[in-house]
Each structure stands twice: as structure tokens, then as C-alpha cells.
């Protein structure tokens, strides 16, 4: 039986992400940011047996690199040169674009506009990219940082429902997992 994905490509993308995220930590914790990145890749890999039609290497590389453009100095051009156009375009779709909300002042509204813009771009991307977004939100629907207000928690849960509705059809396996996480998040709504 062949490997589900190419281990050397995984190692190369993980090394790039480790270097790019460097000293960053998961918000509200001392845990290295790479913990988040590898959890997202793990969720994608767990889904792969359900998706023999997926380009597994595209999915795994996009998962490992998904926050490099949004959160580090890495550019889409850097990713194109090192990982090819398909991976770079997938990561670009997964990255919030602040210019999409350039004329919006309210911070919560800015987030909504940037999320809608990213979802629009993900809908134009291959299903593997949809799966990475589902995996990202599954990972992020764990216990929220203690400093998050009740309002922010409710908005985050509502945003997760929008992601599930918009992208869930890409993977029944990941959609079921995200739906369960959204329900379990109720326990954290009131802090
Ligand atoms: Ni992420």
C-alpha cells in the first residue's frame, strides 16, 4: 500500500513553517506556534483515507504552511518558489487580506469582512484547501484563551458555524468533527 502522502514534502514544509513561525506562541499560552500548525496537519492527515480523490501532498503542505503568509514575513512569491504555485495559491486563499477591509473601522466588523473575503477565495480553490480551513477551525475550537470576553466567544462560535455551512461539503468526515467541536464549545461560552 503506498504512503498517503510524501514524507519528504511534509518534512520540508514543516521545516519552513518552524523557521518562519520561529518564536511565535499559540495566543494565550507559552506553547510554540508550531503546535497549532502540526495539529491542523494531523486533522487533515486523519481525513485523507476518506478522500482518495484528494491530492494528499497539496493538502498536507497547505496545512503546514497555512499561517505563514498571514502571520510571518513569508510572501506568496516565497511559497511559489519553494513549494509551487498550487500550494502558494492555496495558502493565499487561507490568508486574511487586510486590504479587503481597508475602509471598515469597527474591529469586529473588519474581522467579518476579512473572513467573508477569505471564504470567497477558498470557495474558488481546490477541495483540499477547503479541508485545511475546516481542520484549522476544528483545532481552534478548543478551550478559548482566558482573556476572551463572552461576546468574542459567541462571535467565534458563530463564525465556526459559517465556516461549517460554507465549506462542510468538502469533507463529511471533517464536517462532523467540526460540528461536534462547535457543540462542545457551549461549555466555554460564559467563561
Ligand atoms: Ni491556523
Amino acid at each position: 500500500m503506498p504512503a498517503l502522502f510524501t514524507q519528504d514534502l511534509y518534512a520540508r514544509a514543516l521545516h519552513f513553517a518552524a523557521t518562519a513561525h520561529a518564536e511565535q506562541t499559540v495566543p494565550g499560552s507559552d506553547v510554540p506556534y508550531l503546535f497549532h500548525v502540526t495539529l491542523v496537519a494531523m486533522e487533515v492527515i486523519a481525513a485523507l483515507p476518506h478522500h482518495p480523490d484528494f491530492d494528499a501532498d497539496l493538502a498536507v503542505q497547505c496545512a503546514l504552511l497555512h499561517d505563514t503568509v498571514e502571520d510571518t514575513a513569508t510572501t506568496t512569491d516565497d511559497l511559489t518558489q519553494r513549494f509551487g504555485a498550487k500550494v502558494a495559491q492555496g495558502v493565499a486563499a487561507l490568508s486574511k487580506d487586510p486590504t479587503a477591509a481597508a475602509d471598515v473601522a469597527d474591529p469586529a466588523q473588519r474581522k467579518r469582512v476579512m473572513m467573508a473575503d477569505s471564504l470567497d477565495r477558498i470557495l474558488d480553490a481546490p477541495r483540499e484547501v477547503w479541508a485545511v480551513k475546516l481542520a484549522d477551525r476544528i483545532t481552534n475550537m478548543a478551550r478559548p484563551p482566558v482573556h476572551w470576553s463572552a461576546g468574542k466567544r459567541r462571535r467565534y462560535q458563530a463564525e465556526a458555524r459559517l465556516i461549517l455551512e460554507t465549506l462542510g461539503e468538502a469533507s463529511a468526515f471533517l464536517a462532523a468533527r467540526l460540528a461536534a467541536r462547535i457543540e462542545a464549545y457551549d461549555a466555554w461560552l460564559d467563561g
Side-chain angles (χ1 to χ4, degrees):
M1 191 179 154
L4 286 173
F5 56 93
T6 308
Q7 297 96 318
D8 292 348
L9 291 177
Y10 181 105
R12 218 159 66 88
L14 178 62
H15 184 264
F16 185 91
T19 307
H21 289 290
E23 304 299 313
Q24 289 174 3
T25 54
V26 174
S29 81
D30 297 327
V31 177
Y33 197 77
L34 211 61
F35 177 67
H36 166 73
V37 167
T38 48
L39 280 185
V40 174
M42 180 274 287
E43 293 289 348
V44 166
I45 290 166
L48 287 177
H50 301 272
H51 298 283
D53 54 318
F54 273 12
D55 176 341
D57 288 326
L58 175 64
V60 169
Q61 288 176 99
C62 283
L64 290 167
L65 298 167
H66 80 275
D67 279 330
T68 56
V69 170
E70 187 171 305
D71 292 341
T72 81
T74 303
T75 65
T76 303
D77 283 348
D78 296 335
L79 294 183
T80 303
Q81 281 175 21
R82 285 167 187 260
F83 300 99
K86 269 185 111 169
V87 171
Q89 284 162 15
V91 174
L94 291 159
S95 305
K96 289 196 194 83
D97 175 9
T99 65
D103 52 354
V104 183
D106 176 61
Q109 180 61 13
R110 278 178 64 80
K111 284 203 170 141
R112 271 194 293 274
V113 169
M114 284 192 285
M115 176 58 69
D117 169 68
S118 177
L119 285 177
D120 275 350
R121 289 181 288 115
I122 292 169
L123 285 170
D124 285 336
R127 291 298 170 107
E128 290 85 344
V129 176
W130 302 30
V132 173
K133 187 66 196 180
L134 292 169
D136 184 40
R137 191 48 67 109
I138 289 167
T139 302
N140 285 341
M141 290 307 278
R143 178 187 289 273
V146 283
H147 63 272
W148 280 20
S149 68
K152 182 166 171 115
R153 291 166 192 223
R154 282 183 193 281
R155 284 195 297 276
Y156 202 68
Q157 188 188 41
E159 191 181 76
R161 288 201 181 97
L162 174 66
I163 291 168
L164 177 60
E165 271 167 37
T166 309
L167 306 176
E169 70 181 76
S171 173
F173 177 81
L174 292 172
R177 213 162 140 67
L178 179 54
R181 281 281 170 104
I182 290 170
E183 204 174 315
Y185 203 78
D186 280 347
W188 294 312
L189 282 184
D190 298 317

